[in-house]
Amino acid sequence: MSTDYPEGSLGWWMDARRAELDLTWDKAAELASVSKETLFQVARGRHPRKLTRARIERAFGWRAGSIDTVLAGGEPVQIEQESPAEVDDELRDIAELREMAKTAQARAEESLAVARELFNRIERLGHSDEHRSAQ
């Protein structure tokens, strides 16, 4: 992939910011939680989805909406950002919390299924008691 983008293009801004942050394309893609090919497509001017834009802007330390601003001919707005290592740690923490939430949800669904089964059994037993009483 050539990194020779026209000055002022999104690719040019991405390349400049990557250099400032001392990031490879691979590391930038990892921080943004997107593929390197997605970064290249965005750098070439493809309009990414909202979530992808947000991830890329965060990884590059740009204010939300910066990609749209650049695609419209403006400049990205940098925000005060943690170091790439801190962003990496935060993304790892988010992934860990997401997995914990999935596990908790699965356990809650399993508990609900067990509770429903117990309720159904109790109902059946109650109906059989009513049936026996009627005889």
Side-chain angles (χ1 to χ4, degrees):
M1 167 74 191
S2 169
T3 56
D4 298 321
Y5 299 102
E7 187 169 339
S9 70
L10 183 54
W12 185 83
W13 284 108
M14 290 173 75
D15 230 11
R17 187 63 174 148
R18 250 183 357 90
E20 286 176 26
L21 297 172
D22 195 29
L23 297 174
T24 64
W25 281 106
D26 287 324
K27 186 64 175 177
E30 182 183 332
L31 289 174
S33 299
V34 300
S35 70
K36 189 165 65 170
E37 183 55 36
T38 295
L39 278 187
F40 291 156
Q41 289 173 2
V42 171
R44 285 188 228 115
R46 187 189 110 226
H47 285 272
R49 292 183 318 211
K50 186 177 182 177
L51 178 60
T52 302
R53 275 195 316 268
R55 288 176 174 174
I56 293 170
E57 288 165 343
R58 178 167 171 75
F60 280 78
W62 292 340
R63 181 166 287 135
S66 287
I67 288 176
D68 289 335
T69 300
V70 171
L71 291 173
E75 297 182 8
V77 177
Q78 290 184 25
I79 55 174
E80 208 46 49
Q81 181 177 340
E82 306 98 352
S83 71
E86 290 171 320
V87 171
D88 203 22
D89 288 345
E90 185 175 319
L91 291 173
R92 211 176 357 265
D93 290 346
I94 290 168
E96 183 179 329
L97 290 172
R98 188 174 288 136
E99 285 304 310
M100 289 171 65
K102 285 180 186 177
T103 300
Q105 181 179 5
R107 287 181 180 162
E109 289 170 358
E110 184 179 325
S111 294
L112 183 58
V114 168
R116 284 186 179 134
E117 178 60 27
L118 289 171
F119 181 75
N120 288 336
R121 286 182 181 181
I122 291 168
E123 285 294 306
R124 284 194 302 270
L125 287 172
H127 287 295
S128 66
D129 282 346
E130 289 172 11
H131 181 66
R132 278 189 226 137
S133 309
Q135 291 178 345

